[in-house]
Amino acid sequence: PAAGHDDLTLVRPLLRLSRRDTEAYCLAAGASYVEDVSNRSRAFLRNRVRNEALPYLRQYNRRLDAALNRLADAARSDLAYIESVAAQAVESKGGRAAVSRARLRGWPPSLRRHALRLALLSLVGDIQGFSERHLKALEAAAVGGRTGARLDLATQVAANNDYEIAH
């Protein structure tokens, strides 16, 4: 369901299917589809990539779509593993999230940020208001900040350092 429109259900096209395949499926299933007129606008980068860059690259690699799908599969698999490891440092309960500072110190920056991102996600449900700058500041505070330090972040979130826990 679409937020604010209880009577409307949006279905996003599956990435593995071409537009032609998606339209054929809708036709066969008796479902209608609507194309947003903004999809044709050159004003949006995503459209310039879809309508200009990808067709150009397909001239050099006819199997570009299959290669991009393999890359997406590999990235999805890697991300699932990284997030499962990162989750080991995060404990969420009672509207708070705690992260082991000792564990973070032993991890590379990308894994640290994944753990901190998961902690933020458990607190606010949506991390749209947080930028990479926020994550780097949070990482610096959790890993190298002094005990008792406080960091105020966007959307009413504050981080505090205890001896071995950032929360």
Side-chain angles (χ1 to χ4, degrees):
H5 301 280
D6 296 334
D7 58 335
L8 177 65
T9 300
L10 298 177
V11 178
R12 296 182 185 268
L14 301 173
L15 291 177
R16 294 192 172 280
L17 296 179
S18 70
R19 174 186 189 85
R20 190 173 299 138
D21 291 339
T22 303
E23 290 172 356
Y25 176 83
C26 288
L27 183 64
S32 62
Y33 65 90
V34 176
E35 180 182 352
D36 186 333
V37 294
S38 71
N39 285 341
R40 302 247 183 245
S41 172
R42 291 195 79 251
F44 302 105
L45 176 62
R46 69 176 187 273
N47 293 341
R48 294 193 307 273
V49 168
R50 183 187 320 113
N51 296 322
E52 298 170 22
L54 289 176
Y56 178 77
L57 292 172
R58 286 183 189 109
Q59 295 174 23
Y60 295 95
N61 182 353
R62 291 177 305 151
R63 299 195 32 85
L64 178 69
D65 295 335
L68 291 174
N69 281 329
R70 286 191 309 274
L71 177 61
D73 286 343
R76 197 172 9 265
S77 176
D78 290 350
L79 182 60
Y81 173 74
I82 289 168
E83 288 187 346
S84 73
V85 173
Q88 296 171 17
V90 181
E91 185 179 323
S92 299
K93 61 181 164 184
R96 295 174 59 110
V99 180
S100 166
R101 295 176 70 198
R103 187 168 277 174
L104 289 182
R105 286 185 191 109
W107 284 351
S110 64
L111 190 51
R112 290 178 192 160
R113 287 186 214 126
H114 274 281
L116 295 169
R117 199 176 283 115
L118 289 175
L120 286 171
L121 192 58
S122 75
L123 289 174
V124 296
D126 180 358
I127 57 173
Q128 287 291 78
F130 295 93
S131 68
E132 191 67 16
R133 178 179 53 85
H134 290 112
L135 286 171
K136 286 181 179 181
L138 189 54
E139 176 191 13
V143 172
R146 72 184 194 293
T147 299
R150 178 184 167 97
L151 175 65
D152 289 315
L153 296 168
T155 65
Q156 307 294 325
V157 174
N160 298 295
N161 279 342
D162 286 344
Y163 285 101
E164 284 306 319
I165 300 290
H167 58 90

